């Protein structure tokens, strides 16, 4: 014989299970799409990478070469291995930068360079050659600026210096240094 009171505990239990499942679904985060947009996967790998930026007059302003370039579309960044950067600003000495690795960001407007960074500014009339050694460097190629807050060692024919950071402006031909120790050799007469 059917008694409605015997099914009441089962009905209450089924209602509790249903409410529990509903609350669980309500508090769970939305499932991520499986389209790969949130992953940091490369979409382009280039061996022997070589890029040049030309001025309005068609002359090369700077070149960037690397043994390997890997581009990531999710943040539009590129990783570089064994890179070489040359800046050819008009009426300025050529500047060459080499390093173990680097990273292009903001469409190439920023170049982060790391690992045994060597900056070499060639001599020019009334400008000595200059070598700079550091661990990392931010290069803003279109502005002709390179800067770091890491320790820097500089060498030139007239002396050497160490500093706790620098900003090199090739356009203005200036070098700003922080907390400098240097030795200067006056030119021979």
């Amino acid at each position: 014989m059917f008694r409605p009171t015997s099914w009441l505990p089962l009905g209450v239990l089924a209602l509790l299970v249903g409410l529990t499942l509903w609350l669980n679904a309500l508090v769970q985060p939305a499932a991520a799409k499986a389209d790969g947009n949130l992953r940091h996967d490369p979409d382009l790998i280039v061996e022997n990478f070589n890029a040049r930026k030309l001025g309005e007059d068609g002359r090369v302003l700077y070149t960037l070469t690397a043994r390997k370039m890997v581009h990531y579309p999710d943040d539009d960044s590129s990783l570089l291995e064994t890179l070489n950067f040359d800046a050819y600003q008009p009426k300025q000495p050529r500047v060459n930068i080499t390093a173990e690795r680097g990273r292009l960001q903001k469409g190439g407007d920023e170049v982060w360079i790391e690992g045994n960074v060597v900056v070499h500014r060639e001599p020019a009339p009334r400008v000595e050659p200059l070598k700079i050694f550091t661990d990392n460097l931010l290069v803003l190629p279109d502005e002709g600026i390179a800067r770091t807050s890491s320790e820097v060692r500089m060498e030139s024919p007239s002396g050497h210096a160490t500093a706790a950071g620098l900003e090199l402006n090739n356009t203005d031909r200036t070098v700003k240094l922080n907390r400098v120790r240097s030795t200067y050799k006056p030119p021979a007469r």
Side-chain angles (χ1 to χ4, degrees):
M1 165 159 202
F2 173 71
R3 289 198 268 173
T5 56
S6 64
W7 291 92
L8 186 60
L10 288 176
V12 170
L13 184 60
L15 181 63
L16 285 174
V17 168
L19 283 172
T20 302
L21 291 173
W22 177 72
L23 284 172
N24 186 41
L26 193 64
V27 298
Q28 291 298 321
K33 289 190 232 176
D35 62 2
N37 282 343
L38 301 179
R39 295 184 354 208
H40 191 64
D41 292 334
D43 67 340
L44 180 64
I45 299 173
V46 178
E47 300 284 338
N48 300 315
F49 174 75
N50 188 337
R52 295 177 186 186
K53 174 137 187 198
L54 304 176
E56 291 179 9
D57 60 357
R59 291 195 307 183
V60 175
L61 297 177
Y62 55 84
T63 63
L64 177 62
T65 61
R67 187 178 63 75
K68 184 177 183 180
M69 185 274 294
V70 180
H71 180 262
Y72 296 89
D74 62 321
D75 62 357
D76 194 24
S77 67
S78 297
L79 297 181
L80 305 167
E81 293 179 11
T82 314
L83 70 92
N84 187 7
F85 177 87
D86 286 301
Y88 305 95
Q89 291 186 327
K91 300 179 184 176
Q92 302 299 333
R94 181 177 77 96
V95 174
N96 171 261
I97 303 172
T98 59
E100 294 172 0
R101 62 193 169 277
R103 187 174 67 246
L104 294 175
Q105 291 187 192
K106 297 186 179 180
D109 291 341
E110 291 182 357
V111 184
W112 290 92
I113 301 174
E114 301 172 285
N116 295 318
V117 179
V118 179
V119 179
H120 178 252
R121 184 186 67 200
E122 291 185 346
R126 299 187 321 225
V127 176
E128 291 184 324
L130 175 67
K131 274 197 176 180
I132 301 171
F133 305 89
T134 188
D135 290 330
N136 58 63
L137 191 66
L138 168 63
V139 177
L140 307 171
D142 292 332
E143 299 173 37
I145 293 176
R147 68 172 65 110
T148 185
S149 57
S150 295
E151 182 173 311
V152 174
R153 191 175 87 242
M154 297 174 47
E155 297 176 359
S156 72
S158 63
H160 62 273
T162 58
L166 96 139
E167 180 172 301
L168 171 70
N169 187 323
N170 198 41
T171 305
D172 296 342
R173 289 189 187 182
T174 60
V175 177
K176 295 178 186 175
L177 302 167
N178 300 325
R179 297 192 314 262
V180 181
R181 292 182 312 252
S182 71
T183 303
Y184 175 73
K185 295 184 275 183
R189 295 180 189 210

